[in-house]
Amino acid sequence: MTVFHDLLRVQEHDSAAARLRHRRQTLPELAQLSTTEDELARVEATMTEVNAASAEAARTQRHLEGELALVESKVSELDAKLYSGVVTVPRELQAMQTEGQALRERRATLEDEVLEAMSTGETLADQVADLERRHAELDAEGARLRVAVAEAQADVDRELAAELEARVEAATLIPPDVDALYEQLRARLDGVAAAPLVNGRCGGCHLALPSTEVARLRTEPAETLVRCEQCERILVRP
Ligand SMILES: [Zn+2]
């Protein structure tokens, strides 16, 4: 065993830690939570619109009902006058009947409009109820997912802490210059600075070393730091 074998263990722990950090950021529960929050925002925006439309429909209905009451009182007034026998001039009676007819037509139109406004109001109230139900569902789903995310992250954090602890232990005998080179290569080579040499092949770039190079490496003392000519990683001989 050389410090390079320790370095390979450090590399394994660093790679495992990188995978765990990646997993922490790409938890499926996080993606689900984001989808749920997006839908919740859409539902809230729709609720605002539907509530405004509902208030508008209620205003319209009140206005129409007010107008209808007015027309109804005019009809009653006219009828009372017509049947009281006060008016006897045929031309006046004729005029009153014509006015009465117009008022009744107006009343019929307003009654239809009130019914239509009520129907619109009911449809909108149903939509509000549906949206409130969906909002409550999404709220509950969001809460459930936040708990799931926290639990999954806590699991990852425990594994990460174990990896980092094992890394510290593996790194105790690594000389500062080797460690510095390792960190420099890791920053440049996608997190992998040390690789095993297996069957004449670099475990970092996976390319076969020329046979002359493999032969040369065999003659190098075990304590000598050797690197892959192709990817520059530190090669750890068996
Ligand atoms: Zn290589």
Side-chain angles (χ1 to χ4, degrees), residues 50-159:
V50 175
N51 277 325
S54 181
E56 176 62 29
R59 263 195 304 278
T60 303
Q61 188 183 331
R62 275 198 303 279
H63 174 77
L64 289 168
E65 281 168 347
E67 208 179 333
L68 181 60
L70 207 65
V71 171
E72 269 168 351
S73 77
K74 277 186 189 167
V75 169
S76 307
E77 221 173 276
L78 199 70
D79 282 352
K81 202 170 164 192
L82 198 58
Y83 299 118
S84 67
V86 175
V87 183
T88 51
V89 183
R91 193 163 44 80
E92 267 182 50
L93 283 171
Q94 180 65 45
M96 281 168 73
Q97 270 160 357
T98 305
E99 196 192 343
Q101 182 59 30
L103 284 171
R104 281 184 181 83
E105 278 168 20
R106 179 73 189 128
R107 182 175 66 186
T109 305
L110 284 168
E111 279 168 352
D112 286 349
E113 285 175 358
V114 166
L115 286 176
E116 202 183 306
M118 284 170 74
S119 162
T120 303
E122 279 163 19
T123 304
L124 290 168
D126 285 350
Q127 283 180 26
V128 169
D130 284 348
L131 287 164
E132 278 170 355
R133 232 184 339 267
R134 185 70 190 129
H135 191 275
E137 278 171 15
L138 289 166
D139 243 1
E141 178 71 356
R144 186 189 71 75
L145 284 167
R146 270 186 285 278
V147 170
V149 165
E151 282 174 0
Q153 284 179 340
D155 283 347
V156 172
D157 288 347
R158 264 192 299 279
E159 287 184 56

Side-chain angles (χ1 to χ4, degrees), residues 5-21 159-172 174 182-183 186 191-194:
H5 293 92
D6 287 342
L7 192 65
L8 205 53
R9 280 172 56 217
V10 168
Q11 175 69 73
E12 280 159 10
H13 292 307
D14 279 342
S15 294
R19 281 193 297 275
L20 287 166
R21 288 192 189 95
E159 287 184 56
L160 198 54
E163 286 297 344
L164 296 180
E165 204 184 311
R167 187 216 192 272
V168 169
E169 195 260 320
T172 44
I174 308 223
Y182 170 84
E183 291 300 345
R186 239 167 72 74
V192 181

Side-chain angles (χ1 to χ4, degrees), residues 202 204-206 228 230-233:
C202 165
C205 63
H206 305 290
C228 171
Q230 282 136 145
C231 69
E232 299 184 40
R233 290 187 174 94

